[in-house]
Amino acid sequence: MRSITLRNWQNHAATAMMLLGTVAVLVPLALVFFHILRMGFSSLSLDFFTNIPKPTGESGGGMANGLLGSAIMITLSACIGLPIGILGAVYLTEFGGGKLANTIRFSADVLAGVPSIITGMVAYTLLVVPMKGFSALAGAVALALIMIPIVLRTTEEQLKMVPGTLREASLALGVPLWRTSLQVMLKTATKGIVTGVLLAIARIAGETAPLLFTALGNQFWSRKLTEPMAALPLQIFSFAIAPYEDWHKLAWAGALVLVVVMFTLNIGARLMGRSARQS
Amino acid sequence: MTEADSRYEPERRRPLGGDTIYRWLTAGFGLLVLAILGLMLFEMAQGSLPSLAKSGWSFISGKDWDAVQGNFGALPFIFGSVVSAVLAILVATPLSVATALFITEIAPKKVGGVIASLVELLAAIPSVIYGLWGVLVMAPWLQQSVQPWLIDHLGFLPFFSGAPFGASRMAGVLIQAIMIIPIITAICREVLLAVPQSQREAAVALGATKWEMIRIAVLPYGRSGVLGAVILGLGRAIGETMAVTMVIGNSPLISMSLLSPAYTMPSVIANEFAEATNALHSAALMEIGLILLFVTLAVNVLARVMIWSVTRGAKGGVA
């Protein structure tokens, strides 16, 4: 038996190491935040929200076209992804005992682990090649491919949390299963589902890799879904790796805006989730 | 007509009721998920056929990547991805496990909760923002302060030879580690929370100190879950694209040095796919994508199974 002094000493050393590890994890977080806030606020102006990027060499300009482009593509991909994800989840909860359902669950999990750049390549071969050009539509499809497995799994979890007695009560009153599912199950789980959807949107709002060879980006306003379209993360990327000080500033401002959007969505989702659990 | 027959009458009269339609409709949407995965594999495989036919196995062993000459050897990218991801895991694992242990075992519940949600915030930051920070803040710092010091003091090692490039394998590894720490920590925390309280109590009752309790009772119980979390982190690190592309220097060198620029599989796709010079070039990039896809799929499946084995039994007793 080792002496108690030694064992206590070991205990303290281990605790210190764990504390040190935690600090080492939190320091980069603090640094990233510090720089985004400092650089972002000092370069953010009204121009950022109203102007498109200026040509090289001219200072000023903004990322208004990127903001609009991101909003358009996110909306479109939600229109594609949400029905598939939510109704797929309904299948898994209502009829999901068999082998098929387990296969679907498994493939959703697998799909969620696919690197996002691969979804970009797939959207490229599916849409960009046949349509002979980069397009916002292809970008939206690539984002939807990322969204679907996330929405599917969170919705299924939320539907599972609806008490079985509610379903039984509805069925016992003679309401058909499909109406029970839509009007009792989905309705009861709405808040939780919205939480999952907000998190999924927050996730795709920051995705860059799948847009690289689908939406491609655009220096100007883009009018059509069949044309290349600007997106905020794409602009942050191309401005960050460009060798111009002015562009770096715009990239920091873009990062600040993106982070604020993400955190608003995340916090909104958490509040929603909390109130869903309480009700 | 007997009474028994009439009982089944409604069923017969409505062969295609709302419920049947609903069932098939939702099944259709569920099947779409399956179809997407199948389509993904098919498209990637089909797209890389020209390259598979031309290069065969030499694709993985060739060191020469020259789009103009039509030589496509992917070894520098595979090497770069494997080395960076493994190093990132070596950096991230101890830190993540330490943080998860601190949150679940050491810190007061409130403090632990705050740290856990901070770590979750880290996971929500998009890759491109880590890349921005990496290329404009971290890489210059590495180049000016860290790397010259390493060259002066440890330059005799092959890992620290050469000139101090800011955008280097070292920068790539660090950014990958920063990005996978939140994921590994979050899953480790879940796994550790799933360790039954009775395990801890038993160890403490035998007179164990807190650290001994962790070592004897907590970690062995959660071992396969923690390993699963690490493997999942490995999958993320391999597939990580934007941040790595922005800081790793993008140069297809096979070098031992951490200070020299390197390249990874997702990075070369990100940089070259939109401007592929010819059909063979894009097929070669597709093949890299296919390899990437298979590797991440295998890693993910393995990780899920391992995490499952711990958290599934969470509510049960000692077994």
Side-chain angles (χ1 to χ4, degrees), chain A residues 43-51 61-62 64:
Chain A
S43 25
L44 197 62
S45 63
L46 194 63
D47 265 5
F48 181 89
F49 299 99
T50 55
N51 273 345

Side-chain angles (χ1 to χ4, degrees), chain A residues 7 11 110 125 177-178 181 262, chain B residues 19 22 124 207 211-212 286:
Chain A
R7 290 170 56 213
N11 186 34
V110 169
T125 51
L177 183 64
W178 66 275
S181 165
M262 310 280 298
Chain B
D19 285 352
Y22 192 64
W211 167 241
E212 285 163 344
M286 282 289 228

Side-chain angles (χ1 to χ4, degrees), chain A residues 7 11 14 19 22 25 29 35-36 90 107 110 113 118 121-122 124-126 177-178 181 208 240 259 262 270, chain B residues 19 22 34 40 43 99 102 120 122 124 128-129 132-133 136-137 207 211-212 273 285-286 289 296-297 300:
Chain A
R7 290 170 56 213
N11 186 34
L19 183 63
T22 311
V25 167
L29 171 77
H35 284 109
I36 289 175
V90 166
S107 41
V110 169
I118 304 279
M121 289 183 112
V122 171
Y124 174 90
T125 51
L126 283 179
L177 183 64
W178 66 275
S181 165
T208 317
V259 164
M262 310 280 298
R270 279 215 207 135
Chain B
D19 285 352
Y22 192 64
L34 207 65
M40 209 171 243
E43 288 287 345
T99 309
F102 185 78
E120 263 177 56
L122 262 173
V128 71
I129 289 182
L132 171 76
W133 180 80
L136 295 181
V137 179
W211 167 241
E212 285 163 344
F273 194 64
L285 291 167
M286 282 289 228
T296 46
L297 289 191
N300 270 297

